[in-house]
Amino acid sequence: MSDPSRPYARGLAFRCLSETKYHPGMGIKDDLGSLPHPDMFKMYPGKRFPLPKPKAEGRGLFLALEQRRSKRRYTSGTLSLENLGALCYATQGVTGQSGPFVLRTAPSAGALYPFETYVFVTDVKALDQGLYHLDVREFALVMLQEGDLSNDLYRGCLNQAMAKKAQATFVWTHVLLRCAAKYRNRALRYIFLDLGHVCQNLTLAAAALDLGCCPIGAFLDDELNKLIGVDGVDESVVYLATVGLL
Ligand SMILES: Cc1cc2nc3c(=O)[nH]c(=O)nc-3n(C[C@H](O)[C@H](O)[C@H](O)COP(=O)(O)O)c2cc1C
């Protein structure tokens, strides 16, 4: 990317995001050759000290931790607005202020939150079908596009059926510069770490509400960027998660 108005797009972090995109009909091209599969666990031979497991009964968070599973099959029906609100709150609810920083339910390096949250609504009470953006400070969804976009979303998610069946699908884009202006190329690490926290909050909240939820990392980058209406450089889709009735 040699756009003189965006010199930062030449930086390692931006190039890495761009060069690891999926494109229709092809995998990632690289020069790594075949790679060995490392062991899935590291084991030290020393003495084991068994730990007590938390008792889940009546303990919301621990019950949600125990019950969370990636669930990809949903029944038809309508998701309540209360539940969608609770899920949005879990991901990005505002819980404090520290100087200029608007603090949220999920941590973020430097409190910079270098991402945006979008929600595809397919069947949610009191909301028209369409694409929405989450206004974090007003805690409101802003409609960007009206209509049933579930087929486009399904294709963008490499034909994963859950994207068509879900009542709502969260999509997170990076806004890398928000973080790179301070952390330079190291910002690349933080966007993924930050969004891991955000998505885990969503999966736990969904478990607590007896809803199905599944993260999605396999998608066609440019197709989804186009669908959302972002340019793929300053802002680009990095992660999604479906939510559906069980
Ligand atoms: C970063 C990330 C990307 C994922 N992408 C997909 C995906 O594209 N499709 C899918 O069906 N599951 C996806 N998953 C779900 C994993 O397959 C799932 O978490 C894993 O199998 C462990 O199962 P569990 O979540 O039920 O514990 C993803 C999970 C993560 C954390």
Side-chain angles (χ1 to χ4, degrees), residues 147-170:
D148 180 6
L149 301 167
S150 56
N151 271 319
D152 304 277
L153 185 61
Y154 163 73
R155 279 193 296 275
C157 291
L158 293 159
N159 300 347
Q160 299 192 65
M162 59 180 154
K164 199 150 49 174
K165 288 289 286 178
Q167 274 75 16
T169 299
F170 283 71

Side-chain angles (χ1 to χ4, degrees), residues 218-238:
F219 56 86
L220 297 170
D221 300 70
D222 291 336
E223 276 68 6
L224 283 189
N225 288 334
K226 207 167 144 205
L227 190 58
I228 304 265
V230 297
D231 70 358
V233 181
D234 288 338
E235 189 178 348
S236 191
V237 174
V238 285

Side-chain angles (χ1 to χ4, degrees), residues 2-19:
S2 56
D3 177 349
S5 68
R6 294 192 282 196
Y8 51 83
R10 291 196 306 271
L12 176 66
F14 282 89
R15 277 190 290 119
C16 179
L17 283 164
S18 169
E19 289 172 26

Side-chain angles (χ1 to χ4, degrees), residues 56-71:
E57 309 95 68
R59 302 177 64 189
L61 174 62
F62 289 98
L63 192 59
L65 284 166
E66 192 177 288
Q67 292 184 343
R68 184 212 63 78
R69 189 93 292 138
S70 294
K71 292 179 181 154

